Amino acid sequence: MPKQRITKEIVVHAAFEIARNSGMEQVLVKNIADKIGCSVQPIYSYCKNMDGLRSDVAEQTNIFIRQYMSEHIDKENLFASTGRAYVRLAKEEPFLFKIFILHQRTGISSLNDLYEKEASPYVAERIGEELKISVSQARRLHLNMLIYTIGIGTIFSVTTPGISAEEIYKQQESAYEAFLKQALDFEREQI
């Protein structure tokens, strides 16, 4: 049998699978070598340092999550289905959810900075159209729901035996109603 040629893609893929199944803290040279079935030497030749490899794994995670979200959202009910899809992701892929949520974000010094960096500029417009509210109201609602969904998704991903999805969705719906009222009231107060 010919010897397998180890490439950077193979190393990153193996590291991603380890992170997906066991968490980023298990992305170790020895574990990657064991998964690929080689010595540690090829791993070191492609990885100048573990931070670079973990960055590649985080990028693979982002790609996976974008694809996951596009497959699990309902285009007819974009806003609500996106929140539910994130919660579902937290349940089905808890280690990837943690990587996605807990990765270092630079250049963030306010919630507005976070929103600008994490949300597409068109989302608030789309939410505003869908709910028949202003873009500023939609933006406020979206930011609050992002914060809430990240928090409840994180709780969901770390509890055992686990909170039921129905309970989480019900809580998410209650938060949505409260945040929508808050966004509408805030704008009325500004007039």
Side-chain angles (χ1 to χ4, degrees):
M1 176 182 246
K3 197 171 185 179
Q4 178 183 10
R5 185 178 183 296
I6 307 299
T7 64
K8 182 177 181 180
E9 290 74 28
I10 291 171
V11 171
V12 171
H13 179 73
F16 172 80
E17 288 301 318
I18 291 167
R20 182 178 186 185
N21 295 315
S22 305
M24 188 69 95
E25 58 279 355
Q26 293 302 311
V27 176
L28 306 168
V29 172
K30 181 188 178 318
N31 293 345
I32 297 166
D34 288 347
K35 180 136 183 96
I36 296 172
C38 68
S39 71
V40 297
Q41 183 53 42
I43 312 306
Y44 284 119
S45 68
Y46 289 111
C47 305
K48 303 287 185 239
N49 61 52
M50 289 306 289
D51 288 340
L53 179 59
R54 288 189 176 110
S55 179
D56 290 341
V57 170
E59 181 55 34
Q60 288 299 308
T61 299
N62 289 339
I63 292 166
F64 176 91
I65 289 174
R66 280 193 299 271
Q67 182 177 349
Y68 181 97
M69 294 303 291
S70 71
E71 293 170 2
H72 289 89
I73 59 172
D74 175 4
K75 306 253 189 289
E76 299 300 315
N77 189 4
L78 184 66
F79 188 56
S81 69
T82 299
R84 285 181 175 241
Y86 274 115
V87 169
R88 185 173 174 184
L89 173 71
K91 178 70 171 174
E92 293 175 5
E93 299 284 352
F95 293 113
L96 294 183
F97 184 80
K98 288 178 213 170
I99 292 167
F100 175 69
I101 296 303
L102 299 176
H103 76 273
Q104 184 69 37
R105 289 166 171 82
T106 58
I108 306 293
S109 60
S110 69
L111 291 175
N112 186 57
D113 290 346
L114 179 67
Y115 186 81
E116 293 290 328
K117 195 163 193 171
E118 297 290 321
S120 165
Y122 305 107
V123 172
E125 292 172 16
R126 185 99 188 259
I127 292 168
E129 289 170 10
E130 186 177 310
L131 299 177
K132 311 270 189 280
I133 60 177
S134 73
V135 172
S136 65
Q137 290 169 318
R139 186 181 164 98
R140 184 175 187 83
L141 172 63
H142 189 215
L143 174 61
N144 284 332
M145 285 306 297
L146 280 173
I147 294 166
Y148 188 83
T149 299
I150 288 167
I152 203 161
T154 302
I155 292 167
F156 197 44
S157 72
V158 298
T159 55
T160 55
I163 302 166
S164 77
E166 275 50 20
E167 184 178 357
I168 296 292
Y169 294 150
K170 186 176 178 182
Q171 190 63 36
Q172 211 175 16
E173 185 64 29
S174 294
Y176 163 75
E177 290 170 12
F179 289 138
L180 177 59
K181 182 182 180 323
Q182 181 188 50
L184 295 172
D185 290 347
F186 180 79
E187 192 150 295
R188 279 189 213 114
E189 291 170 8
Q190 300 305 310
I191 297 176

